Amino acid sequence: MPLTLDDVRELDRQDPLATFRSRFTLPQGTIYLDGNSLGAQPSAAVAAVDGLMSQWRDSLIQGWNQGWFDAPERLGDRLAPLLGAGPGEVLVTDTITHNIFKLLGYITEGQRGTEGQRGTEGQSRARPVILSEGGNFPTDGYIAQGFCRFGGFEHRVVPEGEALDAYLDERVAAVVLSHVHYRTGRLRDMAAITRQVHASGGEVVWDLAHSAGALQVNLAACGVRYAVGCTYKYLNGGPGAPAFLYVRRDCQDRAWQPLSGWLGHASPFAFEVDYAPAPGISRFRTGTHSPLAFAALEASLALWQEVDLAQLRRKSQRLIELFRESLGDCLAEHSIADITPDEAQRGSQVGLVEREHGYAIVQALIERGVIGDYREPGLMRFGFAPLYLSHEDVWQAAQHLREVLSEGEYLAPCFQQRGAVT
Ligand SMILES: *Cc1c(COP(=O)(O)O)cnc(C)c1O
């Protein structure tokens, strides 16, 4: 039996996370199912950015000694519990793209050290291969390619959906993998794959873009040494909010990272001629960060300290089931494939594929105030961010989708035009 509006309102009354919704500002009439691309605005972020503007005006350069300078480490420590990491293991900095590059350089420089080839120009590397996965978010593969091109490595791609087994050998230095896949929403077995890669003598860099803030990540328990992620998706840090990087404590002092900028120097204000890496996680800093961006993120992370991640996961999965149940037979009637994996193997999004009209269907939904997004080829993505979505929102979104389909609303010419960002 599909749930009625009264049923879903009752679910909202019983929802232990329901109060978080009032801490976000969303436009009237919007049901936001795109928090997996850009999270909604925590109301406290507005005051935080405002406060930062006043601090800039009043404190000028002294602001750097009033909390701006150590924000990458301070916010990293705040983020750590959401990732199953400890203090001093997470740094908030740069973008995922930069951070993957830094970690690949760091890992491979460390391997040269241990394999006795440091500084031997021209001598071939014991582990010359970097693996990435086909079908991953493009930047992960692009930056691996760039790293290989400039670092003299060989880039190999594991085709989407294939196991690593046939690709992992003694030549592989590192593998870049997504924890939750950005298109399919598939959740990987982080512990098992980490063990497998380490057993082959290689390292794995996990990309947590679609898992941080969507589910409890257990980096320490899974034996992970290196990870990256962003804060503008489920973590609601704001557009272009800085990314993060995780390096397990016992792996932090092995080598240089390749973007050896002044703020990752052991004593940046000594202005020495030669680079010397800072101890610990701070060596993964590069240049000057933006306190404005950190202010918005800090407000969001304060809110996250109050979230029970087990409750978050339960609600995320309940919302996904509610959405699919409420769609009923309408997907089959319109030949739309639901590619969402089973509960144990998914993150917090639903993927529906309609190759011919997917883009237009998403546009018709947006016109009705239901915001999802579209990824080629044919994929309609709907992200479920449990902090600001109610059960009623999700139920209503499903009714909208049913109507868009049954009335052929998406066929209108205005929904066929494409913008630069889908
Ligand atoms: C969103 C996303 C990114 C974004 O990378 P940036 O460098 O922060 O722009 C990277 N990887 C994955 C898997 C993503 O989903």
Side-chain angles (χ1 to χ4, degrees), residues 79-293:
L79 194 49
L82 303 178
L83 308 176
E89 293 187 318
V90 180
L91 187 74
V92 174
T93 178
D94 298 328
T95 68
I96 288 185
T97 309
H98 290 91
N99 290 337
I100 292 174
F101 188 90
K102 287 187 268 183
L103 287 181
L104 289 177
Y106 179 78
I107 287 167
T108 52
E109 154 100 348
Q111 287 169 340
R112 261 145 71 104
T114 56
E115 285 161 24
Q117 294 182 24
R118 183 188 295 275
T120 49
E121 253 347 92
Q123 190 172 337
S124 64
R125 290 169 183 273
R127 290 182 174 269
V129 175
I130 304 291
L131 283 183
S132 61
E133 54 179 330
N136 193 3
F137 190 86
T139 209
D140 297 50
Y142 295 165
I143 201 70
Q145 280 175 17
F147 176 80
C148 290
R149 186 181 180 101
F150 287 94
F153 287 82
E154 183 187 328
H155 180 229
R156 289 189 71 196
V157 178
V158 181
E160 184 165 2
E162 274 192 41
L164 293 178
D165 306 38
Y167 297 84
L168 278 180
D169 57 29
E170 69 294 339
R171 299 178 70 241
V172 173
V175 191
V176 182
L177 294 174
S178 274
H179 187 203
V180 171
H181 195 279
Y182 84 106
R183 286 177 52 83
T184 62
R186 186 167 294 282
L187 172 67
R188 278 213 159 97
D189 185 341
M190 180 180 261
I193 293 173
T194 301
R195 259 196 314 276
Q196 182 189 14
V197 177
H198 289 175
S200 77
E203 299 289 352
V204 52
V205 178
W206 285 103
D207 185 334
L208 310 178
H210 287 273
S211 49
L215 49 105
Q216 168 77 66
V217 179
N218 292 311
L219 293 174
C222 293
V224 173
R225 296 181 185 140
Y226 305 102
V228 298
C230 63
T231 65
Y232 52 76
K233 292 175 180 164
Y234 289 99
L235 291 169
N236 312 313
F244 64 87
L245 157 159
Y246 163 86
V247 178
R248 200 172 73 187
R249 187 172 285 283
D250 63 323
C251 302
Q252 289 178 355
D253 295 308
R254 292 186 175 171
W256 282 29
Q257 57 98 346
L259 302 183
S260 46
W262 74 300
L263 290 186
H265 191 279
S267 39
F269 287 89
F271 293 98
E272 285 166 5
V273 173
D274 288 323
Y275 181 80
I281 198 78
S282 298
R283 76 180 50 193
F284 294 95
R285 284 173 172 240
T286 54
T288 309
H289 54 273
S290 162
L292 275 169

